Amino acid sequence: MILQSTIKKIRNKYFVAGSIILFLTTLGSYLTGLWRDRIFAHTFGIGRELDIYNTSFIIPDLLLTIFVSSALSPAFIPLFTSLVSQDKKEEANRLGSTIIIGAIAIVIILGTVAAICMPLIAPHIAPGFSASEQAQLITYTRLLMISPIFIALSSALGGMLISYKNFIAYGISPILYNLGIVAGAYIGVRWGILGLVAGTLFGAMLHAVPRLIMMRKMPFRFLWGADFKDKNFLKV
């Protein structure tokens, strides 16, 4: 009974601390997002340039959401957490490494196909754009296809950090992502939308940095080799 009570207190402590950290970092993310939008409005106003930039996200975000993010939260995190709690380090390392490699590989392969096919896709996602505007859209979308690579890596690492009950690096990543875009907005005064695209790519890199640093302090060890026949990976 004493042991169960102690375990319950520890779990409650982690739950409260994690909730506070996620609340504060989520608030920080919304505030930096508001700052980002205000800078957009001040720098670019409401016009076609910003429409092209926003439309450039459609395909990269779609690929990331469907083929990576949708699998991590409902499937990967509970399974990885179960392996960690059972002290199955080898299985956890194998699963985590395969998820990282698989997520990045999926994004690169599908992103490359989408980038090649953008001249066919652009008229359907932006039917009101002129030929020159669609040409810009194609260029910006192809550049933004790089950002899901970093976000896919960061998402996999974030899921593992939650399993290890480390919420700080997980929470500050979206803040850094917004700050990267804000930096791009300031560059955009001179470079236009291309500055925003550069800032977005920079923000995607920043999104992964704190999680990479924190994961080095965790028990997880990356394995250079994906095992797509691993039973735990197949469950995911």
Side-chain angles (χ1 to χ4, degrees), residues 56-71 103 105-116 118 121 141 144-146 148-149 151-152:
S56 300
F57 276 98
I58 291 178
I59 300 302
D61 282 356
L62 188 67
L63 295 179
L64 187 65
T65 301
I66 293 177
F67 295 101
V68 178
S69 301
S70 59
I106 286 172
V107 168
I108 290 175
I109 293 170
L110 295 180
T112 301
V113 173
I116 293 171
M118 271 309 297
I121 299 172
T141 300
L144 287 174
M145 286 293 184
I146 300 171
I149 298 173
I151 301 298

Side-chain angles (χ1 to χ4, degrees), residues 83-210:
L83 294 175
V84 170
S85 64
Q86 297 176 57
D87 201 28
K88 296 181 178 180
K89 295 181 180 179
E90 185 177 341
E91 289 187 47
N93 291 342
R94 188 183 307 117
L95 173 61
S97 302
T98 304
I99 286 290
I100 290 173
I101 295 171
I104 293 175
I106 286 172
V107 168
I108 290 175
I109 293 170
L110 295 180
T112 301
V113 173
I116 293 171
C117 296
M118 271 309 297
L120 301 176
I121 299 172
H124 297 285
I125 61 174
F129 287 11
S130 66
S132 62
E133 289 167 348
Q134 287 194 5
Q136 284 182 289
L137 172 63
I138 292 169
T139 300
Y140 297 153
T141 300
R142 285 172 170 171
L143 290 173
L144 287 174
M145 286 293 184
I146 300 171
S147 66
I149 298 173
F150 297 106
I151 301 298
L153 169 63
S154 185
S155 298
L157 296 176
M160 287 186 273
L161 285 172
I162 289 177
S163 299
Y164 288 121
K165 298 180 175 63
N166 191 300
F167 303 102
I168 297 177
Y170 177 85
I172 66 173
S173 287
I175 298 175
L176 295 178
Y177 178 63
N178 283 332
L179 291 177
I181 299 177
V182 167
Y186 283 112
I187 297 173
V189 174
R190 179 171 297 181
W191 288 8
I193 296 299
L194 191 59
L196 276 183
V197 173
T200 303
L201 296 178
F202 180 56
M205 292 174 61
L206 290 180
H207 196 287
V209 168

